[in-house]
Amino acid sequence: FTRDPERYGPLLRSSAQRLGIPVSVSVAAPLLTNGFASFLLRLLTALSDDSPRGLIPLIGSSYSGLSRDEQIHIREKIRELRVARTWSWEALRDWLLSWEPSSATLSGAVTWKVELGIAQGSMAEWHGRLQSLIESAALNTRVGAPESPTRDSDLRAMAALLRATADSASVEEAHGGIQRNFAEFSRRCASLWESEVMVTVSETGGIRMCTQADSLPELDVLFVVGML
């Protein structure tokens, strides 16, 4: 354990490499450097708009779970809807639900948006709705899949962003609460998550180096470096 990773991290890694000892390094990184956290914020921003146009750039994300051919097909359908002037969340929802193969992420997110309607709510209510969006869009299943190469970091990011909104809700509730619409909640999430950090692990196995006390796992032996 060290509170000065910039000074001791390279020393520990080089020493471990020289001795042939595997080292797993835990470091704090900005939350939005994680792919899932960035995708979820962009999804919130897109869904909070009156028009579905902000959803288009997300089609190509791996978190949408679409093959290349499916991405092309959805973009073509979106162009058709725009030309026909039926470019609305309801029209897109109806088509996604009838489309085979369907995208659980996109259809779930758009259905959640349509059912939400014009909603106001406290931060606590929006926190619950955020959890519902993650479940409706099957994002918890996608990021938690054993075969996902970013499973561990994405699950940490999900926990960090939900903790940030829950903490904000608790603070606001203690001061009487603030009512927000969807767009205001989306901007609040951006503000919270931009200043949030998460712990990332460079590789699994071996000796683990931690830089934050709350990232320490259950262990039998702990070496502390640079505390004197």
Side-chain angles (χ1 to χ4, degrees):
F1 174 85
T2 179
R3 292 189 181 276
D4 190 356
E6 292 184 1
R7 179 179 180 184
Y8 291 102
L11 177 62
L12 290 171
R13 283 193 291 266
S14 62
S15 298
Q17 185 176 11
R18 178 170 53 83
L19 297 172
I21 301 173
V23 174
S24 176
V25 180
S26 298
V27 295
L31 174 59
L32 291 179
T33 60
N34 172 266
F36 169 72
S38 175
F39 173 83
L40 184 60
L41 179 56
R42 289 187 294 148
L43 179 62
L44 276 177
T45 302
L47 294 175
S48 66
D49 198 351
D50 293 334
S51 167
R53 62 180 178 272
L55 208 61
I56 298 174
L58 301 182
I59 293 172
S61 170
S62 61
Y63 294 99
S64 293
L66 297 166
S67 69
R68 196 165 193 81
D69 288 343
E70 291 166 349
Q71 293 173 24
I72 293 172
H73 188 60
I74 288 182
R75 288 192 175 96
E76 290 176 348
K77 182 61 182 181
I78 287 175
R79 281 195 291 270
E80 291 177 14
L81 292 174
R82 296 179 71 174
V83 170
R85 298 185 182 276
T86 54
W87 183 228
S88 67
W89 287 110
E90 290 78 9
L92 183 58
R93 183 270 317 266
D94 293 344
W95 179 76
L96 283 170
L97 291 177
S98 64
W99 180 52
E100 292 292 342
S102 63
S103 165
T105 295
L106 289 183
S107 61
V110 174
T111 298
W112 177 90
K113 156 70 178 181
V114 172
E115 293 177 349
L116 179 67
I118 303 174
Q120 295 270 341
S122 65
M123 193 65 178
E125 290 173 315
W126 280 112
H127 173 72
R129 290 166 183 162
L130 176 60
Q131 291 178 303
S132 175
L133 170 61
I134 291 173
E135 294 172 0
S136 297
L139 289 171
N140 54 336
T141 303
R142 186 175 305 285
V143 302
E147 65 273 14
S148 172
T150 57
R151 179 179 184 273
D152 290 343
S153 61
D154 286 350
L155 289 176
R156 289 191 187 92
M158 184 187 299
L161 61 86
L162 288 174
R163 183 178 62 250
T165 55
D167 289 347
S168 179
S170 297
V171 171
E172 291 188 9
E173 186 175 357
H175 293 82
I178 300 174
Q179 292 292 305
R180 289 183 174 87
N181 60 31
F182 190 6
E184 291 168 335
F185 171 69
S186 176
R187 290 193 292 270
R188 178 59 177 156
C189 285
S191 176
L192 288 171
W193 297 347
E194 283 171 358
S195 59
E196 192 72 17
V197 298
M198 60 173 285
V199 175
T200 61
V201 181
S202 61
E203 57 182 86
T204 58
I207 298 174
R208 181 172 178 180
M209 187 187 86
C210 299
T211 60
Q212 293 186 339
D214 59 4
S215 68
L216 289 172
E218 293 184 5
L219 40 78
D220 297 321
V221 179
L222 174 65
F223 296 97
V224 181
V225 181
M227 297 297 285
L228 297 179

